[in-house]
Amino acid sequence: LVPRLGYLGLLFVRIETVGVAIFILVAIILLVDILRGDLAMLIHYRHTCSYEVAAVLPGRVFVCKRHGAMFYEQRFGSRGNVPEEVVGFAPWASDFALIADLRGVLVELR
């Protein structure tokens, strides 16, 4: 954020009569970038979390425990319970996630 504002200030200092339209265009693009990028990152930072592998299941499926993102269920809905026959243990905690590795892409199974 600070380097971008510094760049905007540098453009303002070096502006000439011909470059006014270009300066305005760059300022608008910079403002959109800040609002859509940095501001969105700050708003959605509460969803940041990490996962710890609790159990490894056959077929590259993992039972993982989520650390962080406390209000994940309120925002995206409950995952429900996974039967003991599938994961091999009970009870299923609300901070557990079933994650599969599909050809190198990690996906959460809901």
Side-chain angles (χ1 to χ4, degrees):
L1 181 63
V2 174
R4 285 184 241 162
L5 292 177
Y7 179 70
L8 185 62
L10 180 67
L11 283 177
F12 187 71
V13 169
R14 298 183 67 198
I15 196 167
E16 298 175 6
T17 311
V18 178
V20 173
I22 295 173
F23 174 77
I24 293 172
L25 178 66
V26 168
I28 291 171
I29 291 172
L30 183 66
L31 184 62
V32 169
D33 176 49
I34 290 171
L35 290 177
R36 296 213 18 124
D38 298 327
L39 189 61
M41 191 269 314
L42 288 174
I43 291 171
H44 297 291
Y45 186 73
R46 64 182 173 192
H47 300 302
T48 302
C49 64
S50 62
Y51 292 92
E52 172 189 349
V53 176
V56 179
L57 304 176
R60 302 192 55 81
V61 177
F62 308 95
V63 176
C64 298
K65 181 177 173 69
R66 185 183 71 245
H67 298 284
M70 286 181 49
F71 303 106
Y72 189 85
E73 279 79 24
Q74 286 89 358
R75 175 77 170 122
F76 298 105
S78 176
R79 290 183 190 84
N81 292 326
V82 177
E84 183 179 356
E85 295 80 19
V86 173
V87 293
F89 63 89
W92 184 260
S94 65
D95 60 346
F96 281 166
L98 206 55
I99 297 180
D101 181 359
L102 302 175
R103 297 184 182 192
V105 178
L106 298 177
V107 295
E108 180 182 359
L109 305 176
R110 294 188 126 216

